[in-house]
Amino acid sequence: MLLLVIFAGFAHGASQDQDAVIPPPERPGVTPISLQLPWVHQFEFAGFYAAIEQGYYLEEGLEVSLREASAGVSVVDEVVSGRAEYGLGNADLLASWGRGAPIVLMANLFKHSPLVVLARQDSGIRQPRDLIGKRLMTQPMDLNSAEISYMLHQAQVRPDQMQQVAHSYRIKELVDGEVDAMTAYITNQTYELQAAGVDTVIIDPANYGADFYSNNLFTSQKEVQLHPERVAAFRRASLKGWRYALEHPAEIVDLIYRDYSQRKSMAALYYEAREVTKLISEEVYPLGSVDLQRLHRLQEVYLLSGALTIASNDLQSFVWQGRDELQPEIALTEKEQLFIQKHSRLRLCSSPDWLPYEGVQDNASIGIGPDLMREALAGVGIEVVDVVSETWNEALQAIKDRRCDLLSAVVPSSDRQPLISFTESYVDVSNAIVTRDSQAYISDIRELKGKSLAVLTGGIHEALLLRHFPDIRLKNYATMDKALLGLSKGEVDGFVDTIATSGYGIRQSGLQNLHIAGLFPYKTPLSVGVRSDWPELRTLVQKAYDSVPEGRMNEIIRHWVQVTAEPEVSNAVLWRAAGIVILLMTVFLVFYSRLRRANQALAQEIVQRRKAEEATLRLNDELISKNQQLETLSRTDALTGLKNRYHIENTLEEAVVHCLSRQKGLSVMLLDMDHFKQVNDRFGHNTGDRVLKAFADIMKGFSSDRLIIGRWGGEEFLLILPDTDLGAAGQVAQEIRRKVETTFFPDVGHLTVSIGLAALQPEESAYQITSRADRMLYQAKSSGRNCVMTDIRGARRSELP
């Protein structure tokens, strides 16, 4: 509603002083189309300006007009009526579709909504419930938006409990103290208020569970039906334009100010560019991607609010189904390009029953491995063709016989070479021990000495068990369902495979007497297997996999992995044995010989109980240890081992309160590795991850009680320096900059870092000091990088670095 219905919205804060439509000059041989914007020209639409300026639309045979919003114009109505072929809308597009609007979501640009509530620092407002009785400058469509309405509902705040003041779309009322809070866009009004020197508090709906999409590119169902190639072309060129804009923000800011609008200052456009980049979160999510789970979540919110009365189980029909995700350009050698020309279709063999990693359904390979392979190889123009195998051993033999070209999920091992080559592993998986539920929790696989375990023929677990645990007997099964059935019937004492496949197999088999009883002590790395007589194929596949964004890979894994493992200690058998013992003792006088057997059974029972008690104690100790590990993981960035974003933000808030209450100094640094995206594009994401780890190791060398470090996001890091003025902080910043500059990073060489530095001011919040450090970081980037920029506001001359 905020972006779909009217022109006069607060979010972008400007009057219309330019033409609503900027048409391109007519060109023969191209198709003219238009994109209806939800507001006036600014960096929010940077990718579309870039696509026009760089000629991406013309390359697709399109001539695109960008139509600014007009008073009373609905973007959805413009697109449905055909007056505009394409449009941009926020989360409310889903509600419009749910009420019958014939529209199709083509791509999502902002992974997080910019709509927030801004409050004066002196208003006492810190959370949604504090808005009760306060003066909120807003409009009905803001309060009815998915973000704000859900946040208020969660906080049990009704709109009529606030003093609603009609929105003027300016910050003047908040600056003058005429209102206590206002609905706003974090990309715009926060900058204006900071420039005006007004200290504010940001209440973000995302912190209350309302983290919804915004800036969604959409079209009409009619356009999709009549012109599917044009839809694909427009989406492709638009995303290409957005990629360019994100890589060249300063250039696009100049373009907007020069050719489109001077309503906003250059400084304001630079600020908006930084905030827009954060909302897009390209380091986490593929550009333009849409997650159906988030749409389902949004639909639930609309049902809760009453904006929708009926839920649709077919959200896929709302999302454009063309396969056109923008992938990073992949640098291929001449040999690799020639290989693709000769082998544009490759054959994939998969295990038929190893879900969620691999499986077969309707004669097609499914699971994490096949889905990821199709995603990766589509990026280099290779089609994957399925060759169905009856067993995993048959799939292995097929690639050795050259009846297959690829294996999507295989553990590298020397016995599979030289006929198969392997890529680097794309995921390391943990393994489980499955037993009947009469077996207590297994804390150490050596407890199974002398017993029998089921393994899949040709699987890596067979080789690991033979090598490391030769005193455990093995029984081979061709498929997982046969192995689990054999275990259920008592043919073996246990079964070893990955946690995910074991949990999936137990659920699918419906065998109620099986459970995951422990962990196998070795992890297994999954790689892609390729036929070794085509050397170009391995490097080609490796580059294709490295180009898949981490966020997209995680989406594929999350889609398939849904496992619940419940190790537990069961005493049911022991109680039954005790009942037998009691029964034998009651007939002691008649059956003396049975008494001896009962005593023996009782002795065994005591031993079993003692083992069960010891197992319970071990389980409790392990649970305590696991909880401690989970606590650590919740605070730690998985890649770098530094504090994660959530933890470092909490640490900063605590440090700010501590320093303000004790009138101590505090400085904050934001660091950003220069040209890091080029590292990923040129060397691949795996190399990029190794560089980030090496950079984090450098940062750990500076860490102490007086210097706290965390990963802020992507290649950005936040450093907190309690009890430290700007002078001392500046010296540390320069030391870090020099250390990074002189470090040789493996596979990459020398890199540099840009740093923004700010010191805490009286009555300042954690958000405000990081915002100032962020602005300084942006200035460092704009000033040529590899430098330190300091916000000297409020600093004494003696403190300056």
Side-chain angles (χ1 to χ4, degrees):
M1 286 168 264
L2 174 66
L3 296 179
L4 303 182
V5 182
I6 70 169
F7 159 74
F10 72 89
H12 311 72
S15 60
Q16 279 198 275
D17 54 5
Q18 294 188 353
D19 294 338
V21 181
I22 299 183
E26 293 187 6
R27 303 173 191 263
V30 295
T31 302
I33 59 172
S34 60
L35 170 66
Q36 179 64 60
L37 304 177
W39 197 246
V40 296
H41 293 300
Q42 56 182 21
F43 198 90
E44 183 179 346
F45 315 118
F48 306 110
Y49 309 135
I52 292 174
E53 182 72 9
Q54 298 301 312
Y56 299 150
Y57 288 130
L58 287 177
E59 291 173 1
E60 299 284 0
L62 302 175
E63 206 169 31
V64 177
S65 300
L66 302 179
R67 303 174 55 185
E68 285 190 316
S70 300
V73 170
S74 161
V75 179
V76 171
D77 289 346
E78 292 299 292
V79 173
V80 171
S81 67
R83 290 187 290 271
E85 286 79 13
Y86 304 94
L88 275 180
N90 68 353
D92 295 334
L93 278 179
L94 180 61
S96 298
W97 174 79
R99 293 191 291 266
I103 55 178
V104 177
L105 175 60
M106 296 167 56
N108 165 253
L109 297 173
F110 290 6
K111 301 305 176 187
H112 313 286
S113 171
L115 179 58
V116 297
V117 174
L118 300 179
R120 288 181 61 92
Q121 183 77 245
D122 56 11
S123 67
I125 298 173
R126 297 292 183 272
Q127 56 185 338
R129 282 199 62 80
D130 295 335
L131 292 169
I132 295 175
K134 300 293 186 178
R135 298 164 298 174
L136 175 68
M137 186 164 68
T138 186
Q139 54 187 332
M141 65 180 60
D142 301 346
L143 291 180
N144 293 331
S145 68
E147 301 94 319
I148 301 296
S149 62
Y150 182 76
M151 178 181 70
L152 295 178
H153 173 82
Q154 290 297 96
Q156 298 181 333
V157 177
R158 300 190 314 273
D160 61 9
Q161 292 178 293
M162 299 173 287
Q163 300 178 38
Q164 297 180 35
V165 178
H167 220 307
S168 68
Y169 318 116
R170 301 187 305 268
I171 65 168
K172 182 178 183 300
E173 285 81 351
L174 194 64
V175 171
D176 294 342
E178 297 175 13
V179 296
D180 305 304
M182 64 184 288
T183 48
Y185 254 31
I186 201 168
T187 51
N188 295 326
Q189 277 70 33
T190 49
Y191 172 80
E192 296 175 28
L193 288 164
Q194 288 174 14
V198 178
D199 293 331
T200 56
V201 173
I202 298 177
I203 302 177
D204 190 344
N207 294 331
Y208 299 88
D211 191 10
F212 302 138
Y213 285 159
S214 186
N215 274 38
N216 297 297
L217 183 62
F218 73 102
T219 188
S220 64
Q221 292 179 2
K222 182 178 180 181
E223 176 77 0
V224 171
Q225 292 165 358
L226 297 180
H227 307 289
E229 297 85 1
R230 188 164 77 188
V231 173
F234 182 75
R235 181 182 186 275
R236 188 163 51 243
S238 297
L239 293 183
K240 193 173 181 181
W242 268 104
R243 174 64 51 72
Y244 186 90
L246 293 173
E247 293 175 353
H248 305 86
E251 179 183 330
I252 303 304
V253 165
D254 291 340
L255 172 67
I256 296 170
Y257 194 78
R258 183 187 72 234
D259 293 348
Y260 288 90
S261 174
Q262 296 183 7
R263 299 181 183 95
K264 298 178 70 170
S265 68
M266 292 281 285
L269 287 170
Y270 275 119
Y271 178 88
E272 184 188 9
R274 290 286 292 179
E275 295 301 317
V276 163
T277 300
K278 295 175 185 177
L279 294 172
I280 290 176
S281 300
E282 191 190 6
E283 73 279 1
V284 178
Y285 304 97
L287 187 63
S289 64
V290 177
D291 187 341
L292 285 177
Q293 291 183 351
R294 291 186 72 174
L295 293 183
H296 278 292
R297 166 71 175 143
L298 179 58
Q299 182 177 244
E300 293 172 359
V301 169
Y302 280 129
L303 290 170
L304 182 68
S305 67
L308 285 177
T309 56
I310 301 176
S312 172
N313 294 320
D314 187 25
L315 285 177
Q316 284 188 334
S317 63
F318 173 54
V319 181
W320 183 71
Q321 297 300 310
R323 288 186 53 82
D324 191 40
E325 288 295 335
L326 187 68
Q327 297 285 359
E329 293 186 6
I330 304 173
L332 300 178
T333 66
E334 184 177 349
K335 287 185 177 180
E336 290 167 344
Q337 293 174 8
L338 290 174
F339 179 89
I340 294 174
Q341 292 176 13
K342 289 182 62 178
H343 307 284
S344 60
R345 302 173 82 237
L346 295 178
R347 299 164 298 178
L348 167 66
C349 278
S350 304
S351 173
D353 66 340
W354 204 51
L355 287 172
Y357 297 109
E358 286 186 330
V360 174
Q361 185 179 73
D362 299 327
N363 290 322
S365 298
I366 60 172
I368 293 173
D371 283 4
L372 184 56
M373 175 165 287
R374 294 187 185 96
E375 183 84 20
L377 295 189
V380 293
I382 291 178
E383 180 185 357
V384 177
V385 180
D386 295 315
V387 177
V388 176
S389 303
E390 295 295 328
T391 65
W392 170 238
N393 243 12
E394 184 180 316
L396 275 176
Q397 193 59 45
I399 193 170
K400 292 177 180 178
D401 295 342
R402 308 316 188 198
R403 290 179 285 111
C404 272
D405 309 312
L406 301 162
L407 300 171
S408 69
V410 60
V411 178
S413 63
S414 57
D415 62 318
R416 291 170 177 169
Q417 294 173 326
L419 295 177
I420 305 175
S421 297
F422 304 98
T423 66
E424 296 178 10
S425 65
Y426 57 83
V427 64
D428 288 334
V429 297
S430 297
N431 297 290
I433 304 169
V434 181
T435 68
R436 291 181 293 279
D437 57 13
S438 57
Q439 169 69 53
Y441 176 72
I442 298 172
S443 62
D444 191 328
I445 192 171
R446 285 170 292 192
E447 296 175 20
L448 298 176
K449 179 179 179 180
K451 295 190 177 182
S452 59
L453 286 179
V455 292
L456 298 182
T457 302
I460 191 63
H461 302 97
E462 178 183 10
L464 288 172
L465 284 162
L466 287 173
R467 184 183 311 135
H468 299 288
F469 306 101
D471 49 5
I472 296 178
R473 292 181 288 112
L474 304 183
K475 183 171 183 177
N476 291 81
Y477 289 86
T479 62
M480 176 172 288
D481 56 351
K482 291 180 180 178
L484 292 175
L485 182 61
L487 173 60
S488 177
K489 291 180 176 179
E491 297 173 5
V492 289
D493 300 304
F495 169 63
V496 172
D497 210 281
T498 77
I499 290 178
T501 54
S502 299
Y504 191 94
I506 291 171
R507 289 201 307 273
Q508 293 299 109
S509 68
L511 298 172
Q512 300 296 319
N513 65 332
L514 302 183
H515 74 153
I516 293 177
L519 296 178
F520 185 67
Y522 294 94
K523 286 188 174 183
T524 49
L526 292 187
S527 301
V528 176
V530 303
R531 47 187 292 179
S532 57
D533 58 332
W534 289 346
E536 297 87 359
L537 180 57
R538 196 201 72 81
T539 58
L540 178 63
V541 171
Q542 184 66 63
K543 290 179 180 179
Y545 270 66
D546 286 344
S547 73
V548 178
E550 182 181 354
R552 178 56 182 153
M553 183 176 291
N554 290 337
E555 285 180 6
I556 292 173
I557 293 174
R558 283 197 304 268
H559 172 74
W560 284 101
V561 178
Q562 298 174 1
V563 178
T564 301
E566 299 178 346
E568 60 181 22
V569 177
S570 174
N571 289 320
V573 172
L574 303 182
W575 287 113
R576 288 196 292 271
I580 295 173
V581 171
I582 294 171
L583 176 62
L584 292 172
M585 291 179 68
T586 60
V587 293
F588 167 76
L589 294 176
V590 181
F591 301 102
Y592 175 74
S593 62
R594 293 188 182 181
L595 175 60
R596 295 182 61 188
R597 290 197 297 272
N599 286 334
Q600 292 172 353
L602 181 58
Q604 293 174 357
E605 166 70 4
I606 292 172
V607 172
Q608 288 177 331
R609 278 183 175 277
R610 185 174 295 117
K611 288 183 177 180
E613 290 170 358
E614 291 173 354
T616 302
L617 290 174
R618 285 196 299 270
L619 179 58
N620 287 337
D621 290 341
E622 292 209 3
L623 288 176
I624 292 172
S625 175
K626 293 296 183 186
N627 286 334
Q628 292 172 344
Q629 292 176 24
L630 288 173
E631 175 68 15
T632 300
L633 288 173
S634 70
R635 295 167 168 264
T636 304
D637 175 64
L639 178 65
T640 65
L642 299 173
K643 296 179 186 295
N644 60 20
R645 175 69 176 261
Y646 174 80
H647 191 196
I648 196 68
E649 281 185 337
N650 285 346
T651 302
L652 178 59
E653 290 178 359
E654 293 171 0
V656 166
V657 172
H658 175 81
C659 291
L660 289 177
S661 63
R662 300 176 187 274
Q663 297 184 340
K664 297 285 188 178
L666 181 143
S667 297
V668 166
M669 274 187 254
L670 269 174
L671 296 80
D672 191 311
M673 298 190 69
D674 296 329
H675 302 298
F676 183 74
K677 189 176 184 306
Q678 295 179 14
V679 174
N680 279 333
D681 290 347
R682 182 179 176 186
F683 299 99
H685 288 276
N686 288 340
T687 298
D689 286 349
R690 288 193 289 270
V691 169
L692 285 176
K693 291 178 182 178
F695 182 81
D697 289 340
I698 295 174
M699 293 297 98
K700 291 172 186 176
F702 289 89
S703 181
S704 67
D705 292 339
R706 296 178 60 83
L707 198 158
I708 307 165
I709 304 172
R711 189 179 181 191
W712 195 243
E715 64 272 22
E716 282 192 353
F717 297 80
L718 178 74
L719 278 69
I720 306 169
L721 296 91
D723 301 332
T724 307
D725 61 24
L726 275 177
Q731 293 176 10
V732 175
Q734 290 293 355
E735 288 178 19
I736 292 174
R737 185 193 64 78
R738 286 191 291 269
K739 178 66 175 177
V740 173
E741 185 181 32
T742 57
T743 297
F744 184 86
F745 291 87
D747 303 324
V748 176
H750 291 285
L751 297 173
T752 59
V753 65
S754 298
I755 302 176
L757 178 60
L760 185 66
Q761 304 300 317
E763 302 301 323
E764 193 172 36
S765 67
Y767 171 80
Q768 289 167 318
I769 186 174
T770 52
S771 295
R772 290 195 293 112
D774 192 52
R775 288 200 301 274
M776 291 301 100
L777 174 59
Y778 197 80
Q779 286 189 22
K781 290 285 189 183
S782 303
S783 302
R785 299 180 170 84
N786 191 24
C787 61
V788 178
M789 285 290 178
T790 305
D791 187 337
I792 62 174
R793 187 177 70 174
R796 296 186 297 273
R797 184 173 301 275
S798 61
E799 294 178 340
L800 299 181

